[in-house]
Amino acid sequence: MEHLIDIYNKKPEIVEKLLSLNNIKVNLKVDGKPFQVLVEDNEIHYHGRSGDESHIGPEIDEYTRLFSKPINYAISKVEENKELYLNNYKFYTFEVINEKMLLTAVVDFDNKFIESADEIRTIADCLGTDVMPTLWEGKLTESQIDSIINILESGIVPEKEELINWVNEQFGEYEHFPETLISAADDFIEGLVFFFNVDDKIVEYKLVDPTYRELMNERKKNNELEFENNKDVYESIYNVFVDFAENTEWNKNENKIQNLQENFEEMMSNPKTYNKLMNLGSKIKINTSDTYSIQVERLNESLAKDIKRRGNIYKQLFENFVKLFYKPKKRGFVISKEFQNRVNNIIERES
């Protein structure tokens, strides 16, 4: 989904025309996990981020579920109430945050995008889920348009409390304006999503708090810096992984995730290898997130037991092992092209 401010910088006349349309919907945007429920041939399938709520995203695989508590929570809630999803609509789009499933969009079996906030709210009630707050629906006032244009022209989006105050001032009179603005953070909201109906096609753009964009950039920068500062340690860990993998019968199980578990367990059963890796692992950053880290309940019984007994370093080593060997990479390799070729050869080995 593109940023409204970026579109305005390229073609301001297009944004001005969009803002003058008669039926505009403005939703809250939250930093949740995108989740879609697709109904096909009377069966339910689970999909992830599409970037456009009128289209279906990629199907959720075992790898995604291994690292996502929100996705597993959402799937379990849908599985409990499958019959509620099967009859009326083709797919549903949610954001999952803090054990809340927020319905944001619905598409029916005629591929019609359900625009009405009231209708989406009714569907959410039937499903027993929350609904993504709609901050405004209808024609924007001249005052609202002017205020939005002022932000886009200046290139300065209000931050934190200022953005929250601005949202309240501009949209607070809407009859369904929420009592609280849901957010994963305590001091800011991620932003807004504008829905425009252009010739019966829904166009979506977002207006995001710069604090959020800076937070994401800073997180990425910090991860890159941490890797660079400990590059020798990571290289040592990955070399131990690859040396083991090149000298074992790699394809122990047809299921990729199960195969990785069995290989990791075999590798760590060697006391010398175990001690070396645990020592190296103590020098790298540990992913302590309960939300987006290895979901232990998705593992086989023996590995889950080992992780609970041996702690976060052991868990982190398995996370790195999975990320290294889950699928081949043709670019963006961990250490070097030559090293990645070794990894790819292991993954693609037939026996």
Side-chain angles (χ1 to χ4, degrees):
M1 188 188 305
E2 293 186 79
H3 293 271
L4 189 64
I5 200 165
D6 293 341
I7 302 301
Y8 186 84
N9 288 337
K10 295 174 187 175
K11 294 186 176 180
E13 67 280 1
I14 289 180
V15 175
E16 290 169 2
K17 184 176 180 181
L18 289 173
L19 292 173
S20 67
L21 294 174
N22 288 325
N23 192 23
I24 293 171
K25 187 166 70 171
V26 183
N27 271 12
L28 186 68
K29 181 167 176 50
V30 302
D31 181 22
K33 189 70 176 176
F35 174 69
Q36 292 181 315
V37 180
L38 172 68
V39 179
E40 196 170 55
D41 298 327
N42 208 39
E43 291 186 358
I44 287 179
H45 305 271
Y46 303 111
H47 291 251
R49 184 185 299 278
S50 67
D52 178 346
E53 294 173 350
S54 62
H55 293 85
I56 201 73
E59 191 159 10
I60 291 170
D61 56 17
E62 281 190 273
Y63 180 86
T64 303
R65 295 194 66 178
L66 185 62
F67 288 95
S68 180
K69 183 177 181 178
I71 290 297
N72 292 320
Y73 168 80
I75 289 175
S76 70
K77 300 308 287 185
V78 175
E79 291 289 323
E80 290 173 9
N81 298 286
K82 271 189 172 183
E83 69 284 354
L84 299 178
Y85 290 84
L86 289 172
N87 298 320
N88 300 313
Y89 301 101
K90 183 176 180 180
F91 69 88
Y92 312 75
T93 298
F94 296 89
E95 287 280 342
V96 187
I97 181 172
N98 299 336
E99 294 199 339
K100 283 179 181 257
M101 290 176 64
L102 302 166
L103 184 63
T104 68
V106 181
V107 173
D108 69 17
F109 286 110
D110 294 322
N111 292 316
K112 179 186 175 185
F113 185 84
I114 307 301
E115 293 182 64
S116 166
D118 285 340
E119 190 171 350
I120 291 175
R121 194 175 297 107
T122 299
I123 295 169
D125 288 342
C126 291
L127 297 174
T129 71
D130 292 283
V131 64
M132 182 67 74
T134 295
L135 308 176
W136 184 266
E137 186 174 33
K139 186 173 178 61
L140 294 172
T141 67
E142 289 300 320
S143 175
Q144 289 171 322
I145 293 173
D146 289 343
S147 184
I148 295 168
I149 293 294
N150 284 339
I151 288 174
L152 301 178
E153 280 183 343
S154 69
I156 301 174
V157 181
E159 297 185 42
K160 293 189 175 181
E161 188 176 348
E162 288 184 4
L163 180 60
I164 293 172
N165 290 338
W166 180 82
V167 168
N168 281 307
E169 289 170 5
Q170 298 303 319
F171 306 110
E173 293 183 7
Y174 176 61
E175 60 179 331
H176 296 299
F177 192 85
E179 292 182 10
T180 58
L181 297 174
I182 300 166
S183 175
D186 293 328
D187 55 349
F188 67 91
I189 58 173
E190 183 184 343
L192 315 176
V193 179
F194 291 81
F195 295 84
F196 304 102
N197 187 326
V198 181
D199 298 327
D200 290 328
K201 180 181 178 182
I202 302 300
V203 180
E204 304 172 36
Y205 296 116
K206 58 187 176 183
L207 186 68
V208 175
D209 185 337
T211 305
Y212 176 78
R213 300 180 78 171
E214 289 167 10
L215 185 65
M216 295 300 104
N217 290 334
E218 185 178 345
R219 185 180 298 172
K220 180 181 178 183
K221 191 183 299 181
N222 287 341
N223 287 337
E224 291 171 350
L225 183 62
E226 192 273 335
F227 180 86
E228 193 61 34
N229 288 340
N230 296 288
K231 190 172 182 181
D232 291 345
V233 179
Y234 280 104
E235 287 192 14
S236 296
I237 290 171
Y238 292 137
N239 272 298
V240 173
F241 288 173
V242 170
D243 288 343
F244 160 78
E246 287 178 332
N247 292 285
T248 190
E249 182 182 342
W250 180 253
N251 293 310
K252 296 177 173 63
N253 195 299
E254 291 183 0
N255 180 284
K256 282 186 182 181
I257 299 297
Q258 182 61 35
N259 186 58
L260 290 169
Q261 293 179 72
E262 292 180 22
N263 275 292
F264 183 79
E265 288 179 288
E266 180 187 321
M267 179 181 70
M268 297 301 273
S269 68
N270 182 312
K272 185 177 178 181
T273 302
Y274 171 85
N275 289 332
K276 183 175 183 178
L277 284 171
M278 290 294 282
N279 180 54
L280 289 167
S282 68
K283 301 173 184 177
I284 63 173
K285 182 180 179 181
I286 303 299
N287 181 2
T288 58
S289 167
D290 178 50
T291 306
Y292 297 115
S293 65
I294 293 291
Q295 302 298 297
V296 178
E297 69 277 4
R298 302 286 304 169
L299 303 178
N300 65 47
E301 186 177 350
S302 58
L303 182 54
K305 189 180 294 184
D306 281 343
I307 286 176
K308 289 175 182 176
R309 185 171 73 250
R310 293 169 174 170
N312 285 333
I313 295 174
Y314 193 85
K315 181 182 176 184
Q316 184 62 52
L317 289 167
F318 177 62
E319 180 171 319
N320 289 22
F321 191 84
V322 171
K323 289 180 176 178
L324 183 67
F325 289 121
Y326 182 72
K327 64 180 179 181
K329 296 182 181 68
K330 302 304 179 184
R331 58 176 179 265
F333 28 80
V334 176
I335 296 176
S336 67
K337 185 176 181 180
E338 291 72 25
F339 184 82
Q340 189 61 50
N341 285 337
R342 291 176 66 193
V343 174
N344 291 349
N345 288 337
I346 293 164
I347 299 169
E348 294 168 344
R349 198 165 64 199
E350 292 184 1
S351 60

